[in-house]
Amino acid sequence: MSTEYESAKKAYKAFGTDTDLAIEKLLGVPVSLHCWQGDDVRGFEGAASLDGGIQTTGNYPGAAKGPVQLMQDLDKAISLIPGKVRINVHACYSVFNENNRADRDSLKPEHFAPWVEFAKAHNCGIDFNPTYFSHPMVKDGLTLSSPDENVRNFWIRHGICCLRIGEYFARETGSKCLINFWMPDGCKDTPADRYSCRARMADSLDMILAAGYDKNLVCISLESKVFGIGVESYTVGSAEFCTSFAATRGLVPLMDNGHYHPTESVADKISSFMLFNPEIALHVTRGVRWDSDHVVRFDDEIREIALEIVRCGDLDRYHLALDYFDASINRIAAWVSGTRSFLKALLYAELWPNEKGAMLQENAEFSELLVLSEEIKTAPFAAVWQEYCRRAGSAAGMEWLDEVKKYEKEVLLKR
Ligand code: RNT
Ligand code: ZN
């Protein structure tokens, strides 16, 4: 333990927080790492381009091609992230051989066996996402809400396949799998009939749920969105749609903080969801103007979200996942930096004198609350972060980037 840490511990104690306790707590919290940062959301099906209202920009060299490279890169990223992780896999990351190719509506657990192997090697759980984009059966921008019964049934079958795959992940890893449904369905221009689309979406989701799933093995979340590129005027799975559907079917609501109007605060929404749901899920990301998927930074928005996470309930009631993709910088650096920034925010939130703050608010001592909120910002956070990294067996400073640069030279640039 460094002398810097010893003095930081004292400084935080003066604010009423215990740094050792904060570190211990955070070391037990898993963050779900999105596999799609490593290959610009391309997947392993040979998709020509990404659609569904999301886009990656940039052509930094070394993007992973195929499962071997992606898992090798993810392995590198995990080795540089301090703390516990899970892996978050999308259905378009199925691994086929010559004999078992299958379309999205007939995917089987065996197509994901290499992911189970990877998770076992890292002693971590797996979360899963049906892939409702980058596929010829997305017709006129619609999947589960399509008026074409062929299209709709195809995607219903896809959803059901994914339930089985999630159960398989949970059985194999011994850890419950979160299956997150996000559908890009929407319209570029003002629709004439919002209601029918939403009714079909609800009916399709109900048909998927009617196939049944083992609640001990999986939980299902529904992710809302306000708009996407090319679907600017209407998104079927809006906040109200997803929140209401999840609440009435016992699903977990998922908020992606890039999926709201820019002045809306996901931090503000967390307490309401936590009041009415046993568990909630988050996609932690960074919205910049029209894009919802920039690399997470240790910024005000993320700190505020982390503070609310810590203040609103036990950390095991949250499913915390990352969701961003940047093809303009080293993809492993993006993975590691974004995850470390989120972990920093969680540590920052654990160190905040939350109880004291709540008491000051209750007593209407707003001057002191303001001063406390400002003073805590300059508390010796770096020393506690360094100690956290040390206990997690990772480098605290920029040393990890040297590893990434070495890997880039030796592996990525040779691809
Ligand atoms: C898109 C959603 C969704 C995707 C991933 C790839 O806006 O955030 O979660 O990013 O499923
Ligand atoms: Zn998301």
Side-chain angles (χ1 to χ4, degrees):
M1 235 173 278
S2 65
T3 50
E4 283 89 356
Y5 178 67
E6 285 305 324
S7 79
K9 199 174 142 119
K10 280 197 198 111
Y12 276 102
K13 199 161 177 227
F15 282 108
T17 47
D18 181 335
T19 53
D20 286 324
L21 208 69
I23 292 174
E24 274 321 301
K25 249 181 106 176
L26 190 55
L27 284 171
V29 179
V31 173
S32 199
L33 281 186
H34 53 315
C35 77
W36 52 93
Q37 162 54 42
D39 73 336
D40 314 335
V41 209
R42 233 179 316 211
F44 303 150
E45 299 170 332
S49 61
L50 174 65
D51 59 28
I54 51 178
Q55 209 172 69
T56 48
T57 45
N59 55 356
Y60 200 84
K65 285 190 194 70
V68 173
Q69 293 184 0
L70 186 67
M71 287 182 209
Q72 187 187 10
D73 293 355
L74 187 52
D75 178 69
K76 188 83 224 166
I78 291 174
S79 75
L80 301 171
I81 291 167
K84 213 166 146 184
V85 297
R86 299 173 60 80
I87 51 168
N88 206 356
V89 176
H90 237 287
C92 59
Y93 290 79
S94 47
V95 184
F96 301 126
N97 57 42
E98 308 84 67
N99 308 317
N100 72 357
R101 281 202 81 83
D103 205 347
R104 297 247 182 104
D105 66 335
S106 46
L107 289 172
K108 294 200 171 62
E110 67 184 66
H111 300 127
F112 295 87
W115 285 109
V116 166
E117 242 172 82
F118 182 90
K120 283 182 178 169
H122 290 82
N123 192 22
C124 70
I126 311 179
D127 296 313
F128 196 48
N129 307 261
T131 309
Y132 286 99
F133 52 83
S134 303
H135 190 282
M137 280 302 268
V138 180
K139 292 272 162 67
D140 305 317
L142 306 179
T143 65
L144 289 178
S145 72
S146 172
D148 179 335
E149 285 298 300
N150 273 334
V151 171
R152 205 159 80 87
N153 287 327
F154 176 89
W155 290 113
I156 290 170
R157 289 194 298 276
H158 176 58
I160 296 170
C161 290
C162 289
L163 301 184
R164 303 298 158 251
I165 295 160
E167 288 170 338
Y168 157 73
F169 284 152
R171 242 182 256 116
E172 290 290 325
T173 60
S175 173
K176 212 166 169 177
C177 172
L178 178 78
I179 305 179
N180 177 48
F181 280 77
W182 169 68
M183 283 70 56
D185 298 38
C187 289
K188 183 181 177 71
D189 221 327
T190 316
D193 180 8
R194 290 177 168 89
Y195 188 89
S196 301
C197 261
R198 289 194 167 124
R200 282 192 296 269
M201 173 68 81
D203 183 62
S204 302
L205 286 168
D206 276 332
M207 289 180 57
I208 294 169
L209 298 179
Y213 60 101
D214 188 337
K215 294 201 169 79
N216 295 313
L217 296 176
V218 301
C219 48
I220 297 179
S221 63
L222 193 57
E223 177 179 10
S224 67
K225 191 166 181 175
V226 63
F227 81 92
I229 303 165
V231 279
E232 289 85 0
S233 302
Y234 167 61
T235 293
V236 182
S238 61
E240 293 73 15
F241 177 92
C242 291
T243 306
S244 309
F245 189 90
T248 47
R249 271 67 168 180
L251 308 186
V252 176
L254 186 146
M255 289 191 283
D256 177 314
N257 59 295
H259 288 189
Y260 295 84
H261 287 283
T263 58
E264 273 185 279
S265 153
V266 164
D268 177 71
K269 300 175 194 297
I270 290 174
S271 48
S272 302
F273 269 16
M274 286 296 279
L275 255 174
F276 299 104
N277 294 277
E279 290 177 12
I280 72 163
L282 296 172
H283 270 186
V284 178
T285 188
R286 180 162 55 100
V288 177
R289 304 193 189 279
W290 50 266
D291 181 46
S292 59
D293 306 294
H294 274 57
V295 181
V296 170
R297 282 175 182 254
F298 182 54
D299 61 10
D300 284 343
E301 187 191 357
I302 293 302
R303 277 194 291 268
E304 212 49 45
I305 287 174
L307 281 165
E308 284 299 313
I309 291 173
V310 165
R311 289 167 181 169
C312 293
D314 290 340
L315 292 181
D316 57 12
R317 289 176 56 202
Y318 297 94
H319 299 264
L320 304 173
L322 295 162
D323 182 15
Y324 54 80
F325 23 95
D326 191 334
S328 75
I329 58 174
N330 181 300
R331 294 170 184 79
I332 297 164
W335 247 328
V336 177
S337 188
T339 311
R340 291 171 71 105
S341 293
F342 181 46
L343 288 168
K344 275 182 200 162
L346 288 172
L347 182 64
Y348 181 87
E350 286 290 352
L351 292 170
W352 214 91
N354 293 305
E355 273 172 33
K356 187 166 180 188
M359 203 185 68
L360 291 173
Q361 182 182 326
E362 197 173 302
N363 297 335
E365 296 184 62
F366 294 113
S367 328
E368 191 171 339
L369 180 55
L370 173 71
V371 173
L372 174 71
S373 308
E374 289 305 290
E375 289 305 315
I376 196 73
K377 286 180 179 166
T378 48
F381 176 71
V384 187
W385 169 249
Q386 274 156 18
E387 180 61 17
Y388 168 79
C389 290
R390 195 186 68 78
R391 291 191 200 174
S394 278
M398 283 184 69
E399 304 92 306
W400 65 265
L401 190 62
D402 297 334
E403 277 279 310
V404 173
K405 284 182 182 165
K406 190 165 157 254
Y407 184 81
E408 176 173 305
K409 216 168 116 208
E410 289 170 3
V411 180
L412 301 178
L413 293 178
K414 291 191 177 144
R415 282 179 179 164

